[in-house]
Amino acid sequence: TGPQPCIALQLLFPSKGYRERSPAVEEDDKLKDGKIFYLEQVSSLPNACGTISLIHGISNNMKSLNVSEDSIIGKFVASQKDKPKKEIGEALSAFEPIRSVHNSLVEEGQTKAKSNEERVGFHFLSLFESDGYVVELDGAYRDTPVRHAKIAEGQTFLQAAAAVIKTKFIGDSADVNFALTAITPVPAE
């Protein structure tokens, strides 16, 4: 089952051949209403897909997560609302409060950090619910948010997202190098 309520997921998966396996997706007019905060991973922010995935998951669920507008991410999202995805990515690259946290966590990692020029072989993206659908946000490989599956009546977001992950990302792969992190609200005390 997993943690409930789960409001977003970060999926880490092997990225070799991903662009070729994932056909281009046309922009969905239903996702153009400004409700989705989406940013592009720009060249000045290489190997930052984990941070971008986390920003996507949090920024699209700020109310559910009780994120303050005065927080670092709250200030960033407010300053970039309704801007084009590339402009938001460039702003993130220059936004020192998030950039410094990102860089400090990269240095703390359990493995040696890759240089900005090295390919890492794995990729993070975010999945969350929007208007009853599982939506994928991938600022590096996708030009637009991707609406996958309608969440059926009686089905949780986590159940619907797990089915999308199994079909779209794992498929018949023999690779076992996948990881999933759930974003859940802090339980009321």
Side-chain angles (χ1 to χ4, degrees), residues 1-181:
T1 52
Q4 295 295 333
C6 174
I7 58 175
L9 294 168
Q10 281 189 283
L11 173 65
L12 176 66
F13 63 98
S15 58
K16 183 177 182 181
Y18 173 62
R19 190 178 302 269
E20 295 76 27
R21 288 191 317 268
S22 297
V25 177
E26 290 194 27
E27 197 162 6
D28 186 335
D29 287 339
K30 291 184 173 77
L31 299 175
K32 286 176 142 180
D33 57 11
K35 289 195 299 188
I36 295 177
F37 186 83
Y38 185 62
L39 67 108
E40 181 177 318
Q41 183 172 334
V42 296
S43 60
S44 56
L45 261 182
N47 297 337
C49 57
T51 296
I52 290 170
S53 172
L54 188 57
I55 289 170
H56 279 145
I58 293 170
S59 64
N60 286 290
N61 291 288
M62 290 179 54
K63 188 174 182 179
S64 298
L65 295 169
N66 294 317
V67 175
S68 166
E69 290 180 8
D70 292 331
S71 67
I72 291 171
I73 193 165
K75 289 177 183 176
F76 178 74
V77 170
S79 72
Q80 300 303 311
K81 190 127 178 80
D82 300 323
K83 292 187 178 175
K85 64 183 185 251
K86 186 169 186 171
E87 190 174 319
I88 299 171
E90 290 166 351
L92 178 64
S93 176
F95 192 68
E96 193 53 39
I98 291 177
R99 189 179 179 96
S100 64
V101 169
H102 166 80
N103 289 338
S104 70
L105 293 173
V106 167
E107 295 303 318
E108 282 183 24
Q110 295 177 340
T111 58
K112 183 179 178 279
K114 301 264 186 189
S115 75
N116 286 340
E117 292 75 38
E118 289 181 274
R119 292 202 166 270
V120 292
F122 292 90
H123 183 60
F124 279 99
L125 58 77
S126 183
L127 297 166
F128 79 108
E129 182 273 329
S130 180
D131 293 329
Y133 284 85
V134 175
V135 175
E136 171 190 338
L137 300 177
D138 181 348
Y141 291 110
R142 297 288 195 185
D143 291 332
T144 184
V146 178
R147 208 165 55 145
H148 285 290
K150 178 125 180 84
I151 300 170
E153 189 172 328
Q155 188 180 40
T156 66
F157 159 74
L158 185 58
Q159 291 167 330
V164 168
I165 291 166
K166 184 176 181 183
T167 302
K168 182 178 182 331
F169 296 96
I170 297 175
D172 58 1
S173 173
D175 199 326
V176 295
N177 294 304
F178 292 83
L180 195 59
T181 303

